[in-house]
Amino acid sequence: MRLLLTGASGFVGGSFMQRYAHRADLDIWGIGRRETALAKYIRHDLSEPLTLSFKPDVVIHAAARASPWGTRAEFLRDNVQATRQIIDFCEANGQPKLVYVSSSSVFYRHRHQLGLTEQSPIGPEFVNEYAATKHAGEQLVRRYAGKHVIVRPRAVFGPGDTVLFPRILRAARKGQLPLFTQPGPPAQGDLIYIDNLCDYLYTAAVRQDVTGDFNLTNAQPVVIQDYLADILKRLGIPPSRRRIPVRLAMHTAGALELAYRVLRFKGEPPVTRFGISVFAYSKTFDVGKAVRVLGPCAVSLEEGTDRFVRWQRDQA
């Protein structure tokens, strides 16, 4: 089976390439914007039309602008226009099966959400441009004439992470990661270890009977701030003793976001409402459909966390 993978220079795509590149049943070709040392890799900006000398049997579209901050034009280019170009390529090349890596953030509200399923409501409002444009990509994929799968992983982590934990650990090392407080029980959240996500993508790609939408997690929700405190302790990073009410933090982040947009500051704000909501609001998922159809995760959250901590120590 010839498989084309976009986003091969990123965290998810690069991890998939490394995990499955040597399988005898797959001929994997990767596409990305950056230079890499990967074999069978094509450097290409997916906001432009794609032309290749071969027709793939399946396409995994993992390329995206995965960030809590950026301009609408940037997100439209990287998450909507790029998806449209991939669909156009597929339509012109035999309609291979298309696996679209979306995001669990399409469901998010700035409040607690427990037991989200594939049928939970999406939109019309979104927490940020990333979520809005990932959902716009989903809408394009639904109109694709060939077979398709939409997967929505939640909080992907593991060795090679460039999105989730780097921001958190950077803030913690600078003493800029407070404890967020609010009435009620502590916020819980799901995560998914990178190898489990890669295995799910492989299964969705090679099994022709798999179609439709799937929310993906390790099915092991944790108390978010307790889980993070344990990781910081194991990495020797002192815990913060500052406590900030969630309501105050959200108002402050909103003001910062407005200032960055109006004054056009470079970079991203030191804190965003999306970043705070990760710690402040529960987001758990019922992934019974994924477990029934794709199978349970091979790597437990405990083992995945151990591997991630060892990798972080090696980086240090």
mmCIF file of all heavy atoms in Angstrom, residues 172-173 229-239 309 313:
data_model
loop_
_atom_site.group_PDB
_atom_site.id
_atom_site.type_symbol
_atom_site.label_atom_id
_atom_site.label_comp_id
_atom_site.label_asym_id
_atom_site.label_seq_id
_atom_site.Cartn_x
_atom_site.Cartn_y
_atom_site.Cartn_z
ATOM 1 N N ALA A 172 6.761 26.994 33.290
ATOM 2 C CA ALA A 172 7.036 26.480 34.630
ATOM 3 C C ALA A 172 8.476 26.754 35.038
ATOM 4 O O ALA A 172 8.754 27.120 36.186
ATOM 5 C CB ALA A 172 6.741 24.987 34.691
ATOM 6 N N ARG A 173 9.420 26.580 34.125
ATOM 7 C CA ARG A 173 10.830 26.819 34.444
ATOM 8 C C ARG A 173 11.102 28.291 34.738
ATOM 9 O O ARG A 173 12.027 28.621 35.459
ATOM 10 C CB ARG A 173 11.711 26.333 33.290
ATOM 11 C CG ARG A 173 11.782 24.809 33.171
ATOM 12 C CD ARG A 173 12.824 24.365 32.150
ATOM 13 N NE ARG A 173 13.002 22.924 32.172
ATOM 14 C CZ ARG A 173 12.467 22.091 31.287
ATOM 15 N NH1 ARG A 173 11.724 22.563 30.296
ATOM 16 N NH2 ARG A 173 12.668 20.780 31.378
ATOM 17 N N ALA A 229 1.651 18.612 38.014
ATOM 18 C CA ALA A 229 2.525 18.757 39.180
ATOM 19 C C ALA A 229 3.444 17.549 39.331
ATOM 20 O O ALA A 229 4.623 17.684 39.702
ATOM 21 C CB ALA A 229 1.686 18.951 40.439
ATOM 22 N N ASP A 230 2.930 16.362 39.037
ATOM 23 C CA ASP A 230 3.746 15.146 39.125
ATOM 24 C C ASP A 230 4.866 15.177 38.090
ATOM 25 O O ASP A 230 6.015 14.817 38.397
ATOM 26 C CB ASP A 230 2.863 13.917 38.918
ATOM 27 C CG ASP A 230 3.660 12.624 38.933
ATOM 28 O OD1 ASP A 230 4.241 12.300 39.992
ATOM 29 O OD2 ASP A 230 3.726 11.947 37.885
ATOM 30 N N ILE A 231 4.557 15.610 36.867
ATOM 31 C CA ILE A 231 5.589 15.696 35.831
ATOM 32 C C ILE A 231 6.661 16.715 36.215
ATOM 33 O O ILE A 231 7.868 16.457 36.081
ATOM 34 C CB ILE A 231 4.954 16.050 34.473
ATOM 35 C CG1 ILE A 231 4.149 14.861 33.953
ATOM 36 C CG2 ILE A 231 6.022 16.458 33.459
ATOM 37 C CD1 ILE A 231 3.474 15.100 32.627
ATOM 38 N N LEU A 232 6.236 17.873 36.716
ATOM 39 C CA LEU A 232 7.205 18.890 37.125
ATOM 40 C C LEU A 232 8.113 18.356 38.233
ATOM 41 O O LEU A 232 9.328 18.592 38.219
ATOM 42 C CB LEU A 232 6.477 20.143 37.600
ATOM 43 C CG LEU A 232 5.636 20.889 36.554
ATOM 44 C CD1 LEU A 232 4.988 22.118 37.176
ATOM 45 C CD2 LEU A 232 6.474 21.278 35.353
ATOM 46 N N LYS A 233 7.533 17.649 39.184
ATOM 47 C CA LYS A 233 8.322 17.090 40.277
ATOM 48 C C LYS A 233 9.361 16.113 39.746
ATOM 49 O O LYS A 233 10.531 16.129 40.154
ATOM 50 C CB LYS A 233 7.394 16.404 41.278
ATOM 51 C CG LYS A 233 8.118 15.796 42.465
ATOM 52 C CD LYS A 233 7.126 15.145 43.430
ATOM 53 C CE LYS A 233 7.855 14.503 44.615
ATOM 54 N NZ LYS A 233 6.883 13.866 45.558
ATOM 55 N N ARG A 234 8.958 15.253 38.822
ATOM 56 C CA ARG A 234 9.874 14.250 38.272
ATOM 57 C C ARG A 234 10.971 14.880 37.415
ATOM 58 O O ARG A 234 12.042 14.302 37.249
ATOM 59 C CB ARG A 234 9.076 13.221 37.470
ATOM 60 C CG ARG A 234 8.158 12.388 38.352
ATOM 61 C CD ARG A 234 7.122 11.608 37.561
ATOM 62 N NE ARG A 234 7.726 10.573 36.734
ATOM 63 C CZ ARG A 234 7.024 9.732 35.993
ATOM 64 N NH1 ARG A 234 5.696 9.830 35.961
ATOM 65 N NH2 ARG A 234 7.631 8.807 35.259
ATOM 66 N N LEU A 235 10.699 16.073 36.892
ATOM 67 C CA LEU A 235 11.705 16.776 36.098
ATOM 68 C C LEU A 235 12.515 17.764 36.931
ATOM 69 O O LEU A 235 13.381 18.457 36.399
ATOM 70 C CB LEU A 235 11.026 17.514 34.939
ATOM 71 C CG LEU A 235 10.415 16.625 33.849
ATOM 72 C CD1 LEU A 235 9.687 17.474 32.819
ATOM 73 C CD2 LEU A 235 11.491 15.769 33.174
ATOM 74 N N GLY A 236 12.241 17.824 38.227
ATOM 75 C CA GLY A 236 12.991 18.708 39.107
ATOM 76 C C GLY A 236 12.661 20.172 38.928
ATOM 77 O O GLY A 236 13.499 21.034 39.228
ATOM 78 N N ILE A 237 11.455 20.478 38.464
ATOM 79 C CA ILE A 237 11.030 21.862 38.273
ATOM 80 C C ILE A 237 10.192 22.277 39.481
ATOM 81 O O ILE A 237 9.180 21.641 39.771
ATOM 82 C CB ILE A 237 10.210 22.027 36.982
ATOM 83 C CG1 ILE A 237 11.030 21.571 35.776
ATOM 84 C CG2 ILE A 237 9.759 23.473 36.814
ATOM 85 C CD1 ILE A 237 10.250 21.556 34.477
ATOM 86 N N PRO A 238 10.586 23.313 40.202
ATOM 87 C CA PRO A 238 9.840 23.703 41.408
ATOM 88 C C PRO A 238 8.389 24.060 41.082
ATOM 89 O O PRO A 238 8.117 24.739 40.080
ATOM 90 C CB PRO A 238 10.597 24.936 41.922
ATOM 91 C CG PRO A 238 11.946 24.838 41.296
ATOM 92 C CD PRO A 238 11.755 24.168 39.967
ATOM 93 N N PRO A 239 7.451 23.615 41.899
ATOM 94 C CA PRO A 239 6.044 23.956 41.652
ATOM 95 C C PRO A 239 5.769 25.417 41.988
ATOM 96 O O PRO A 239 6.444 26.017 42.816
ATOM 97 C CB PRO A 239 5.290 23.023 42.607
ATOM 98 C CG PRO A 239 6.255 22.802 43.733
ATOM 99 C CD PRO A 239 7.620 22.775 43.099
ATOM 100 N N VAL A 309 8.818 11.582 30.250
ATOM 101 C CA VAL A 309 9.699 12.154 31.266
ATOM 102 C C VAL A 309 11.149 11.767 30.981
ATOM 103 O O VAL A 309 12.058 12.601 31.086
ATOM 104 C CB VAL A 309 9.269 11.702 32.675
ATOM 105 C CG1 VAL A 309 10.339 12.057 33.710
ATOM 106 C CG2 VAL A 309 7.928 12.341 33.051
ATOM 107 N N ARG A 313 14.250 14.363 30.207
ATOM 108 C CA ARG A 313 15.523 14.346 30.935
ATOM 109 C C ARG A 313 16.684 14.243 29.958
ATOM 110 O O ARG A 313 17.723 14.882 30.142
ATOM 111 C CB ARG A 313 15.538 13.175 31.908
ATOM 112 C CG ARG A 313 14.630 13.370 33.130
ATOM 113 C CD ARG A 313 14.549 12.106 33.929
ATOM 114 N NE ARG A 313 13.733 12.260 35.129
ATOM 115 C CZ ARG A 313 13.241 11.252 35.846
ATOM 116 N NH1 ARG A 313 13.499 9.996 35.447
ATOM 117 N NH2 ARG A 313 12.513 11.463 36.915
#
